[in-house]
C-alpha cells in the first residue's frame, strides 16, 4: 500500500499484521468494539499510551524551569525557620516583623506585556477579522465576523485569552483548545392553553408556565490549557503541532458524575470499566502555583489516593491523532485519517470516533512568543528576566541585612571589668556598672561598640539600573506601565509619541502571536461554523428580522442573512499588533470634522450633519439620544395655519397659485425654484 506520510508511527507495520474486523463488529460504532480487556482494545490502548508517554517525557524536562518561573512571578522566597515563624505571626495579625523579601519585578513586567497584548487583541470588536478576495463574498465575511463575535461573547473568550497570553510569557508556551459544543438545557416559557366550559365551549385561553429542553447554544468554545496538562507530538515545534503533528494529548481531572452525564448523552461509553486514578500520579507535585495562595496547583490535587473520594476523581486524557484505520482494526480505510480518542485513568478508552472537520487541524492553537524559530520547547519572558529578578532581590535583601546589623548594637567587652548583667537588657536611661577592681581606669578600654560600615548604601540605586536592563530587554517602558517618565511636564503629543515608540517593540510580538495562534483559531472557528451551524439555532442568534433583512453587499444589491451567507473561502489577516484607536483622541478628530461640515455649505450638501452628530454622541458615550429627538415632520394645526397666513407655507400641490414670495426670505416654498 502506498503511504506518502513520513511521520513516525504511520504505516510502518507490514500489512499482514493489520487487524481485520470481524463480521459481527463491522456495523458497530468504533467505541463499541473497544470492549474492556478485549484484544482490540488493548492493542489500541498501548498504541496511544506509547505516544502519550513519549510526550510526557519530553514535556517533563521543562517542569523544573517552569516551577522556578512561577516562584519568581509570585515573589516567593524560601525562608529560614525563624523567619517563617515571623511570617506566620504576621499572617495571624500579630505585631509586624521584618522578613526577607523578593521584589516582584518579573510579575510587573509580565503583566505589562500581557496588558498590552490583551488590549491589542480584545480592544476591538469584532475580535476576529475575516476577509475575502472575492467581491461576491465580502458581505459573507462581514457576517462571519459577527457570528464569531457572538461565539466569543458566549464563551467568555477574554478570560481564556488572558490566560493564553499570560502562559505564553510565563512558561514560553500558551495553549487554547477549541471545541464544538451543542448545549441543551431546561428553559421556562409561557404558552397559551385553551379554556373550555362544562359544555366544551371555548371560553378563551390561559397563559401556562412550562419547562422544556432547548438548544441554548451551538458553536465554538475555546478553553485555555494548563501547560502541565499538555502533551504534543515532540517531533515538531509546538507552535506548528496543530498542522504538522501526528498527535496531541491534553489532560483533565474531572468527577465521575460528568462522565456519567456524557455517557447518558451518548458521547462516551464504558464508564463503569475505567477503574481508579493511577497510584503513581503526581498531579499535585508538578506546578508551584499554590505557594503563596496555599491552595492547590491543580484542583483535586490534595485528594488522598487511598480514600474513597478518589473513586469519583478521574484522569482523562483526550487526543486527536492521525492513524490508518485498517492498521488498527477500526475501519477498512487505508488512508491516513484524523481520529479522536479519550482515555480514562490510562485503563479504558471511552471515546473513539473520526475527527472529520473541514479545518483538518488538531483542535489546538499554540503560541511561543519568545520562539527562536526552531526546536521543541522555547524559553519564556520569565526565563530571560530571571537573572535580573534574582539580582534585584539580592540587592534589596542584602541592604536590609546590612541595615539590621547596624541597628543591632554589637559591643566588645572586658567581662572582668564590666557587670555583664547590665548589658543583657539594654534600654534608654540604663546604667552600665563597672566592677570595683576597674574603678578609676579608662572605660574605653573596657567597653567599646563594634563599628559597622554600610557597604550596601548604593544597592537601592542599583536596583533601578537593573530594572532598566529588563525594560530595555522587552520594551516595557514606564509609559506602558502607566508611569510618567521623570523630567517635568510633557505635552500630550510627547507622551503619545513616547508610548508609540515603546509599543512598536510589543507590536512585533503581537504580530507573531497572531500569526502563530490566533489566525489558526479564527480559521478553525470559521470553518466549524460553515460546516456545523444549523438553521434553527442561527435563527435564534439573529432573529427572523435578521434573516429577512437583506445585508447590502455592494452598490448593485444585497444578499440575505442566512447560514449560507457564512460560506466562502475567506482569508484571516494577521493582526498588525497596534493598539486600538484612543477614543478620546478619536472624539477630538470627529469634533473638528463636525465643525468643518457645519461651517461649509458644500460639505453640508454631501454629508448629513445630524448623522455626524449622532455618531459623535455615541463615540463620547452619550446614551438615550433617540428619546430626545423632536419630530419636526408633524406640526400643530394652528402653527400650519399661522404659517400659511404669513405666506411661509402653502398646501402641497398649490405652490404655483401663490402670487407672492414668502415673507421670510430664508424659507423655501414648496414647488419654488
Amino acid at each position: 500500500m502506498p503511504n506518502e506520510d513520513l511521520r513516525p508511527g504511520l504505516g510502518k507495520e507490514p500489512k499482514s499484521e493489520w487487524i481485520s474486523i470481524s463480521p459481527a463488529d463491522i456495523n458497530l460504532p468504533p467505541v463499541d468494539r473497544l470492549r474492556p480487556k478485549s484484544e482490540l482494545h488493548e492493542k489500541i490502548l498501548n498504541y496511544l499510551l506509547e505516544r502519550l508517554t513519549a510526550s510526557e517525557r519530553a514535556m517533563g524536562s521543562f517542569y523544573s524551569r517552569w516551577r522556578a518561573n512561577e516562584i519568581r512571578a509570585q515573589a516567593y522566597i524560601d525562608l529560614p525557620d525563624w523567619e517563617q515563624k515571623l511570617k506566620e505571626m504576621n499572617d495571624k495579625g500579630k505585631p509586624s516583623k521584618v522578613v526577607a523579601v523578593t521584589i516582584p519585578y518579573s510579575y510587573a513586567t509580565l503583566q505589562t506585556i500581557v496588558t498590552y497584548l490583551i488590549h491589542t487583541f480584545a480592544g476591538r470588536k469584532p475580535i476576529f477579522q475575516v476577509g475575502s478576495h472575492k467581491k461576491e463574498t465580502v458581505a459573507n465575511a462581514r457576517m462571519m465576523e459577527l457570528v464569531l463575535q457572538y461565539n466569543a461573547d458566549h464563551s467568555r473568550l477574554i478570560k481564556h485569552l488572558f490566560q493564553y497570553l499570560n502562559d505564553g510569557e510565563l512558561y514560553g508556551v500558551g495553549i487554547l483548545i477549541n471545541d464544538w459544543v451543542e448545549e441543551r438545557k431546561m428553559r421556562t416559557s409561557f404558552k397559551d392553553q385553551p379554556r373550555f366550559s362544562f359544555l366544551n365551549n371555548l371560553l378563551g385561553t390561559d397563559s401556562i408556565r412550562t419547562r422544556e429542553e432547548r438548544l441554548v447554544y451551538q458553536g465554538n468554545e475555546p478553553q485555555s490549557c494548563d501547560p502541565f496538562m499538555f502533551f504534543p507530538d515532540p517531533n515538531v515545534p509546538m507552535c506548528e503541532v496543530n498542522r504538522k503533528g501526528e498527535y496531541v494529548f491534553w489532560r483533565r481531572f474531572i468527577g465521575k458524575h460528568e462522565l456519567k452525564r456524557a455517557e447518558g448523552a451518548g458521547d462516551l461509553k464504558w464508564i463503569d470499566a475505567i477503574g481508579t486514578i493511577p497510584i503513581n500520579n503526581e498531579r499535585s507535585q508538578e506546578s508551584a502555583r499554590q505557594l503563596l495562595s496555599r491552595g492547590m496547583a491543580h484542583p483535586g490535587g490534595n485528594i488522598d489516593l487511598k480514600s474513597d473520594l478518589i473513586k469519583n476523581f478521574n484522569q482523562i486524557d483526550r487526543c486527536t491523532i492521525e492513524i490508518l484505520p485498517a492498521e488498527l482494526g477500526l475501519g477498512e480505510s487505508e488512508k491516513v485519517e484524523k481520529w479522536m480518542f479519550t482515555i480514562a485513568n490510562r485503563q479504558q478508552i471511552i471515546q473513539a470516533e473520526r475527527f472529520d472537520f473541514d479545518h483538518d487541524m488538531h483542535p489546538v492553537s499554540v503560541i511561543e512568543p519568545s520562539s527562536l524559530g526552531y526546536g521543541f520547547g522555547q524559553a519564556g519572558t520569565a526565563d530571560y528576566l530571571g537573572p535580573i529578578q534574582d539580582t534585584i532581590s539580592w540587592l534589596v535583601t542584602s541592604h536590609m541585612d546590612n541595615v539590621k546589623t547596624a541597628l543591632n548594637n554589637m559591643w566588645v567587652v572586658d567581662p572582668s571589668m564590666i557587670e555583664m548583667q547590665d548589658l543583657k537588657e539594654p534600654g534608654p536611661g540604663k546604667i552600665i556598672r563597672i566592677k570595683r577592681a576597674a574603678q578609676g581606669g579608662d572605660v574605653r578600654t573596657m567597653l567599646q561598640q563594634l563599628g559597622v560600615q554600610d557597604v550596601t548604601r548604593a544597592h537601592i540605586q542599583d536596583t533601578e539600573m537593573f530594572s532598566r536592563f529588563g525594560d530595555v530587554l522587552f520594551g516595557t517602558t514606564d509609559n506602558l506601565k502607566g508611569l510618567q517618565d521623570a523630567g517635568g511636564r510633557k505635552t500630550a503629543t510627547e507622551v503619545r509619541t513616547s508610548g508609540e515608540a515603546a509599543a512598536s517593540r510589543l507590536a512585533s510580538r503581537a504580530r507573531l502571536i497572531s500569526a502563530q495562534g490566533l489566525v489558526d483559531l479564527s480559521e478553525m472557528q470559521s470553518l466549524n461554523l460553515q460546516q456545523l451551524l444549523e438553521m434553527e439555532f442561527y435563527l435564534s442568534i439573529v432573529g427572523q428580522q435578521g434573516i429577512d433583512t437583506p445585508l447590502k453587499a455592494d452598490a448593485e444589491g444585497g444578499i440575505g442573512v442566512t447560514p449560507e451567507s457564512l460560506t466562502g473561502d475567506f482569508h484571516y489577516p494577521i493582526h498588525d499588533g497596534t493598539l486600538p484607536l484612543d477614543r478620546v483622541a478619536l472624539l477630538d478628530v470627529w469634533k473638528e470634522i463636525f465643525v468643518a461640515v457645519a461651517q461649509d455649505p458644500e460639505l453640508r450638501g454631501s454629508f448629513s450633519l445630524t448623522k455626524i452628530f449622532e455618531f459623535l454622541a455615541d463615540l463620547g458615550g452619550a446614551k438615550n439620544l433617540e428619546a430626545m429627538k423632536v419630530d419636526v415632520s408633524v406640526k400643530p394645526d394652528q402653527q400650519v395655519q399661522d404659517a400659511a397666513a404669513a405666506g411661509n407655507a402653502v398646501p402641497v400641490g398649490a405652490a404655483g397659485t401663490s402670487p407672492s414670495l414668502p415673507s421670510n426670505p430664508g424659507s423655501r416654498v414648496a414647488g419654488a425654484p
Side-chain angles (χ1 to χ4, degrees):
M1 180 197 69
N3 178 31
E4 297 180 357
D5 201 309
L6 303 179
R7 276 169 283 184
L10 290 178
K12 285 193 172 184
E13 293 83 353
K15 187 172 181 178
S16 59
E17 296 182 6
W18 291 1
I19 297 177
S20 60
I21 304 174
S22 65
D25 291 345
I26 194 168
N27 293 323
L28 291 177
V31 70
D32 289 348
R33 303 177 208 157
L34 301 177
R35 301 179 185 88
K37 308 300 181 182
S38 66
E39 179 182 357
L40 178 62
H41 174 268
E42 296 304 308
K43 174 182 175 63
I44 296 178
L45 179 63
N46 291 334
Y47 183 90
L48 298 175
L49 290 181
E50 180 182 5
R51 285 153 178 77
L52 175 59
T53 302
S55 183
E56 286 176 331
R57 285 196 299 265
M59 296 297 289
S61 62
F62 306 135
Y63 292 168
S64 59
R65 175 169 60 84
W66 290 354
R67 281 194 293 269
N69 291 345
E70 291 172 335
I71 291 172
R72 290 190 182 103
Q74 295 175 89
Y76 182 86
I77 184 172
D78 291 326
L79 301 175
D81 291 342
W82 63 275
E83 285 207 335
Q84 183 63 40
K85 292 178 181 178
L86 288 177
K87 186 176 186 304
E88 292 172 357
M89 291 173 60
N90 295 343
D91 293 341
K92 293 178 181 178
K94 295 186 177 181
S96 178
K97 302 290 183 180
V98 177
V99 296
V101 297
T102 293
I103 306 301
Y105 172 74
S106 292
Y107 177 82
T109 304
L110 292 177
Q111 290 303 303
T112 300
I113 297 174
V114 173
T115 300
Y116 177 92
L117 295 175
I118 197 71
H119 190 44
T120 297
F121 293 125
R124 64 181 186 183
K125 280 194 174 183
I127 293 177
F128 296 112
Q129 303 293 304
V130 180
S132 175
H133 295 298
K134 298 180 180 179
K135 180 180 178 180
E136 58 271 17
T137 57
V138 170
N140 295 29
R142 185 148 57 99
M143 272 307 305
M144 178 60 73
E145 290 180 344
L146 297 178
V147 181
L148 287 174
Q149 184 62 40
Y150 170 78
N151 281 196
D153 293 338
H154 181 274
S155 61
R156 280 74 168 174
L157 176 64
I158 300 299
K159 67 178 183 180
H160 300 293
L161 188 61
F162 182 90
Q163 193 64 53
Y164 180 58
L165 299 171
N166 188 71
D167 289 347
E169 304 302 325
L170 181 61
Y171 302 106
V173 59
I175 308 105
L176 272 179
I177 298 174
N178 189 70
D179 285 330
W180 178 265
V181 298
E182 296 182 0
E183 296 180 7
R184 296 183 179 274
K185 295 185 179 180
M186 298 300 296
R187 291 292 184 263
T188 300
S189 62
F190 289 86
K191 291 186 177 180
D192 291 336
Q193 182 174 339
R195 186 175 73 254
F196 296 93
S197 67
F198 180 74
L199 299 177
N200 206 28
N201 295 323
L202 181 64
L203 300 178
T205 59
D206 293 328
S207 183
I208 304 298
R209 190 194 306 266
T210 62
R211 294 182 73 232
E212 60 184 4
E213 187 180 71
R214 292 182 183 175
L215 179 65
V216 297
Y217 179 70
Q218 185 184 63
N220 296 284
E221 187 174 75
Q223 289 188 343
S224 58
C225 179
D226 184 352
F228 287 95
M229 302 289 188
F230 182 59
F231 306 99
D233 182 358
N235 297 305
V236 296
M238 286 192 205
C239 61
E240 299 178 3
V241 72
N242 59 349
R243 294 181 180 272
K244 297 182 178 180
E246 179 193 353
Y247 60 87
V248 175
F249 285 83
W250 58 95
R251 179 172 296 163
R252 290 180 61 203
F253 292 94
I254 62 178
K256 197 168 186 177
H257 64 285
E258 289 190 50
L259 300 177
K260 295 297 288 185
R261 185 183 295 119
E263 185 180 34
D267 298 328
L268 304 177
K269 196 175 179 63
W270 313 117
I271 300 302
D272 292 332
I274 63 177
T276 59
I277 200 167
I279 297 298
N280 61 348
N281 187 279
E282 298 293 339
R283 62 190 181 281
S284 63
Q285 306 299 322
E286 294 172 350
S287 174
R289 288 186 290 259
Q290 79 287 359
L291 287 176
L292 285 185
S293 66
R294 300 183 183 180
M296 294 175 285
H298 307 290
N302 62 347
I303 295 180
D304 186 357
L305 295 177
K306 297 181 181 180
S307 70
D308 291 337
L309 291 176
I310 200 64
K311 297 178 182 178
N312 294 322
F313 192 71
N314 302 276
Q315 174 182 314
I316 304 300
D317 292 304
R318 201 176 184 189
C319 78
T320 53
I321 182 172
E322 298 198 0
I323 63 171
L324 296 170
E327 175 187 359
L328 296 180
L330 293 174
E332 299 179 349
S333 174
E334 298 182 1
K335 296 181 179 180
V336 175
E337 296 177 355
K338 195 176 268 84
W339 280 57
M340 173 172 282
F341 294 92
T342 301
I343 307 172
N345 297 327
R346 303 180 78 101
Q347 299 177 50
Q348 177 64 43
I349 298 174
I350 58 177
Q351 181 186 22
E353 59 188 37
R354 187 177 177 188
F355 192 73
D356 191 16
F357 284 81
D358 287 352
H359 58 70
D360 196 30
M361 289 184 280
H362 296 291
V364 298
S365 172
V366 183
I367 59 170
E368 294 180 288
S370 301
S371 174
L372 298 178
Y374 313 97
F376 179 79
Q378 306 291 337
T381 300
D383 293 296
Y384 292 104
L385 293 176
I388 297 175
Q389 164 81 78
D390 295 340
T391 302
I392 292 175
S393 298
W394 179 84
L395 288 170
V396 174
T397 302
S398 61
H399 179 66
M400 292 176 60
D401 291 340
N402 191 270
V403 171
K404 285 189 287 186
T405 301
L407 293 177
N408 290 282
N409 294 331
M410 300 179 65
W411 300 84
V412 178
V413 181
D414 184 352
S416 64
M417 301 294 183
I418 298 296
E419 291 290 347
M420 298 301 297
Q421 192 65 28
D422 294 343
L423 291 176
K424 292 182 179 180
E425 298 180 0
K430 281 284 185 179
I431 297 176
I432 301 175
R433 296 171 295 171
I434 60 176
K435 294 182 178 180
R436 185 180 298 275
Q439 291 179 0
D442 188 355
V443 178
R444 290 175 296 181
T445 63
M446 310 173 196
L447 178 68
Q448 186 174 1
Q449 186 176 8
L450 186 64
V452 179
Q453 183 178 1
D454 185 3
V455 296
T456 64
R457 183 173 301 174
H459 281 199
I460 300 302
Q461 288 79 12
D462 291 343
T463 60
E464 182 177 356
M465 178 185 67
F466 277 94
S467 66
R468 292 296 178 188
F469 289 162
D471 293 344
V472 169
L473 189 61
F474 285 98
T476 53
T477 64
D478 287 344
N479 286 338
L480 290 179
K481 292 178 180 177
L483 304 174
Q484 181 63 54
D485 285 338
R489 296 174 59 86
K490 291 180 174 59
T491 66
T493 303
E494 288 177 324
V495 173
R496 184 170 62 251
T497 303
S498 176
E500 290 174 352
S504 63
R505 292 277 304 278
L506 294 180
S508 63
R509 194 175 193 84
R511 291 191 188 98
L512 176 63
I513 291 173
S514 177
Q516 286 180 336
L518 294 182
V519 168
D520 284 347
L521 181 64
S522 59
E523 179 180 356
M524 206 178 297
Q525 294 193 357
S526 174
L527 292 174
N528 284 350
L529 289 167
Q530 295 184 45
Q531 180 183 359
L532 301 170
L533 189 63
E534 297 176 359
M535 178 67 181
E536 174 189 356
F537 186 70
Y538 189 83
L539 178 62
S540 70
I541 297 177
V542 301
Q544 186 62 46
Q545 181 180 2
I547 289 183
D548 294 339
T549 303
L551 181 69
K552 192 169 184 180
D554 49 49
E556 299 176 357
I559 60 173
V561 182
T562 64
E564 288 77 12
S565 67
L566 297 178
T567 60
D569 290 326
F570 305 128
H571 70 89
Y572 309 92
I574 296 173
H575 199 291
D576 60 8
T578 58
L579 290 169
L581 291 175
D582 183 2
R583 290 178 67 90
V584 176
L586 194 60
L587 185 63
D588 291 337
V589 172
W590 277 98
K591 286 180 181 178
E592 298 295 330
I593 294 175
F594 180 81
V595 172
V597 174
Q599 295 177 349
D600 192 316
E602 185 176 351
L603 289 176
R604 287 203 307 272
S606 302
F607 298 96
S608 170
L609 199 62
T610 302
K611 291 186 179 297
I612 296 176
F613 176 77
E614 291 175 351
F615 177 77
L616 191 63
D618 181 69
L619 190 63
K623 304 296 182 183
N624 204 26
L625 198 64
E626 288 290 332
M628 304 176 190
K629 279 188 174 181
V630 176
D631 190 351
V632 297
S633 63
V634 179
K635 293 183 179 181
D637 293 341
Q638 187 60 44
Q639 292 184 16
V640 175
Q641 294 175 6
D642 293 344
N648 293 331
V650 295
V652 177
T657 63
S658 177
S660 60
L661 292 174
S663 59
N664 184 359
S667 301
R668 291 285 302 274
V669 178

